Amino acid sequence: MQGSLIPNEFVVDVDHQRCRRCKRCILNCGFGVFDFQSMTTADSSKCVACHRCVMFCPEDAITITRNPLAFKEHSSWGIDSRKAIWKQAESSGMILTGMGTDLPWLNVFDHLLIDACQVTNPSIDPLREPMELRTYLGRKPDKVEIEVDDKGKPRAVNSVENNIKLETPIIFSGMSYGSVSLNTHRALAIAAQRLGTVMNTGEGGLHRELYPYKDNIIVQCASGRFGVHSEYLNAGVAVEIKIGQGAKPGIGGHLPGEKIGLEVSGTRMIPVGTDALSPAPHHDIYSIEDLRQLIYALKEATGYKPVSVKIATVHNVAAIASGIARAGADIIYLDGFRGGTGASPAVIRDHVGIPMEIALAVVDSRLRQEGIRNWVSIIAAGGIRSSADVAKAIALGADAVGVGTAALIALGCRLCQKCYTGNCSWGIATQRPELVDRLDPDWGAERLVNLINSWSLELKEILGALGINAIESLRGNRERLRALGLDSTVMEILEVKPAGV
Amino acid sequence: MIELAFQEKFSKWRVDDARVPAACGLSGLISQDGRAVGGEVIVESMRILRERGNGLGGGYAGYGIYPEHKDYYAMHIMFEDFQGKKVCEELMEANLEIEMGEEIPYRLVEGICDVPLLWRYYALPRPERLEGDGLQADDFMVKLVMDINTTVPGTFVFSSGKNMGVFKAVGSADTVGEFYELENYTGYTWIGHDRFPTNTPGWWGGAHPFNILDWSVVHNGEISSYGINKRYLEMFGYECTLLTDTEVVAYLLDLLIRKHGLPLDIACLVLASPFWKDIDSLGDQTEEDLEKSLRIVYGSALLNGPFAFIVGYSRGMVGLNDRVKLRPLVAATKDECLYVSSEESAIRQICRNPDRVWAPPAGHPVIGKLKGDV
Ligand code: SF4
Ligand code: SF4
């Protein structure tokens, strides 16, 4: 039988003059590239360019290059199209992938510019003046009712007590235990606690060991109901109903049985080694009334903690979001089509949904037109790469943003997009104990804290340049954004003026 | 066709964006016992602040100036031509019972030209129209004023409260005072404004004070949070259509105090909210809960950026700075009279020996309240 017709993507080269045969690369590579027969050898066909070997080779002996193999150029039939066809001709299946889409779609964030003060209004120096990023997530009343007691002292009657306090408007997005390792969850939980923000469990339940972090956790309840029980629902500050995910709107999930070891099995409440299948829809939600029932069921189960509803940003997102707000949700989590995933069919990841930036703008505007913006907080996620993206998302109308991919990159992820294989060399998207062990949660937490603190500092610098000293004055303030290189239709939808106006 | 749609949008933005960054002089006084003060007093105070303006806009608001019509909404309107006046009066006739309409008296003075038609009307909503719309009289008037200002060409209602009036023009504040013959009016509260716009729209309506019903605002500074304040107000039906960000101050006060029923000092906690670190260390749970709720619920109403403003309303006057005090504001008292101004000199010009002079801290309102009735 003939072997594969697909050429290697990368070429691994071991410099045998430098190599001192320590075999570290063999241990480190999660994908089994290296072997040792009298000297270190590499099977380039298995390499995913995760760089683990390169970072750990003590002699700098390893070089990974893109396979320079020439293909006959063709402007319609790119190399990736040809490879995809070979792959499917060999496998008869969907092409799986991990992480967010890698196609060069227009990135709206890269066409938005932020304002600054000059002369007529002074900028503010964040090193000298307070600069406030604190954010509260949850339903807010339309107005504060005041009652004055007999001594003339005013008191707020309606409470905002169950709003979630964040010290910075950045949270960690849901990544399930099972798709990522327990050490990844540990790092996220420790970091969230130290930062005064929250991590989202994703759909795989929460390992009991992390219950002490309950003030910094949002627990998720998805269509598979993995690990959902009453104690779990109360193990966080809020519950999230996951309807959809940006990387794979409208489809379910599939965590292969190999990833369901003893700990994952215990947490997810499914037998060891069985595939964890999340249905595409929730089988108890076929319309907005059903969603309302689940929202209130979860509120009843948790003593009325906030309920978040996570949706993928699809074409009709504004109307859907309005329905969700009216169904009683306290938070709407918009996951854009650039959002990450542990595993998704490439065709869905790359072609379904709309950019979060646009969805966020239309949802915020729609909720305002309907006068119900105060009812819900909006979390925007799916493609937040830097503090500039955070600032732009907030100016478009987000209360806070969710970061998933950026957090994993901080933990070492190289965006090799092979998460679905379970072989992540960085100990992130894997359950293989020897790989999981190499991610030290404390080390990871420190890197996450550093990252979010850096972004927070940069956000304060941006606020200062804008001449404002509280994040709420940037929120929804599209007046402080200008578009460069967007067409007039997109600008109109975003309600952002062109640069120069 | 797409090209054209863009043009339309573009022109809309142009108007919207013509909000003018301005540095200005402010002065205000209230006699809390209701004693009448002549309009020439505030003009005298503003004369000292001439340095802070550039002759491109000045104005005043006086309260208690129309005692004989005090139950009617006094509408001050400027028209570019008689055509606009005709259309506007038809619209008013359909909605209001007009007790009287007359030209606002003025004298020609040097430095003031291109005078529009300046009229005032004392009017009340027609009861049948109120019932038809199911609105309170105040809400009805706000809506009518906004309708006129957005739909009737060349027409601008520049004040609409009861027993009060705004007088403003393109010119320096002292000449504007002379132009309107303010010495012929007496009131218990006066506020004044001299303007230094950094471009020249040359539009009378663009001068301060800005007024909506009872609220008149004079403002020095720029509201950097304008974009979100405007979008927040739009949720409650306010349309920010003027050439300045100052209108959001007036609309926010109207929303917070008249519609949401917040006391004035608490509304000020919304507009220039305390920092979280101060809220966290209040030490009094009730106060902490209150201030926390206000920030959480009204974050979009926080006025951010450098400002000092003075607001006049029928029951009082308030001066307020932004939360880090990036624009000057001084206050003084003498007997029952409270003075607030950009500069101490402007107060001393009309009150030689104040009992007390102080610089209000950032974000702390100075409030003068009318005692009893007038
Ligand atoms: S890690 Fe480097 S030095 Fe060690 S065996 Fe591999 S290539 Fe050689
Ligand atoms: S998490 Fe691991 S497998 Fe997934 S893209 Fe990152 S490095 Fe690759």
Side-chain angles (χ1 to χ4, degrees), chain A residues 163-275:
Chain A
N163 269 248
I164 304 162
K165 178 166 107 177
L166 307 179
E167 290 301 347
T168 189
I170 305 169
I171 70 162
F172 296 123
S173 304
M175 293 176 279
S176 72
Y177 174 40
S179 82
V180 298
S181 62
L182 184 54
N183 279 349
T184 307
H185 256 208
R186 286 183 178 122
L188 290 165
I190 299 168
Q193 187 181 56
R194 280 171 52 193
L195 289 161
T197 183
V198 293
M199 71 165 276
N200 187 308
T201 59
E203 65 167 315
L206 180 67
H207 195 280
R208 282 195 181 270
E209 186 202 307
L210 295 177
Y211 277 31
Y213 294 90
K214 68 198 299 282
D215 290 341
N216 301 91
I217 282 178
I218 293 179
V219 296
Q220 199 179 70
C221 164
S223 61
R225 298 288 193 274
F226 297 117
V228 176
H229 49 83
S230 73
E231 209 185 334
Y232 165 75
L233 289 175
N234 285 286
V237 285
V239 184
E240 178 168 275
I241 301 170
K242 175 189 168 187
I243 299 291
Q245 186 176 339
K248 42 180 175 176
I251 70 166
H254 176 188
L255 189 66
E258 303 87 76
K259 277 188 155 182
I260 315 291
L262 201 57
E263 294 293 313
V264 175
S265 136
T267 302
R268 290 207 172 210
M269 306 192 303
I270 52 171
V272 174
T274 48
D275 288 4

Side-chain angles (χ1 to χ4, degrees), chain A residues 14 19-25 40 56-59 61-62:
Chain A
V14 179
C19 173
R20 62 160 135 115
R21 295 159 171 74
C22 72
K23 301 184 185 170
R24 249 180 244 187
C25 51
T40 310
F56 282 81
C57 170
E59 299 298 329
I62 303 172

Side-chain angles (χ1 to χ4, degrees), chain A residues 320-331:
Chain A
I320 297 167
S322 161
I324 291 172
R326 292 176 189 284
D330 305 87
I331 299 169

Side-chain angles (χ1 to χ4, degrees), chain A residues 120-122 132 134 141 143-144 153 364-365 468-469 472-473 475-480 488 497-498 501, chain B residues 6 10 13 17 21 222 224 227-228 231 235 260 275-276 280 284 290 295-298 304 306 323 327:
Chain A
T120 53
N121 52 352
E132 302 186 307
R134 192 188 290 180
K143 60 180 184 180
V144 175
K153 189 169 175 148
D364 177 65
S365 294
I468 53 183
N469 49 19
E472 52 260 53
S473 298
R475 184 164 303 125
N477 193 348
R478 301 184 198 169
E479 182 59 37
R480 307 305 297 276
S488 56
K497 298 170 193 169
V501 172
Chain B
F6 178 71
F10 195 83
W13 288 338
D17 195 49
E222 178 162 329
S224 310
I228 184 55
R231 296 183 76 219
M235 282 209 312
H260 287 185
F275 288 100
W276 283 117
D280 292 345
D284 176 315
L290 173 64
R295 272 203 79 167
I296 293 178
V297 173
Y298 290 116
N304 216 319
R323 54 211 303 256
R327 288 291 151 95

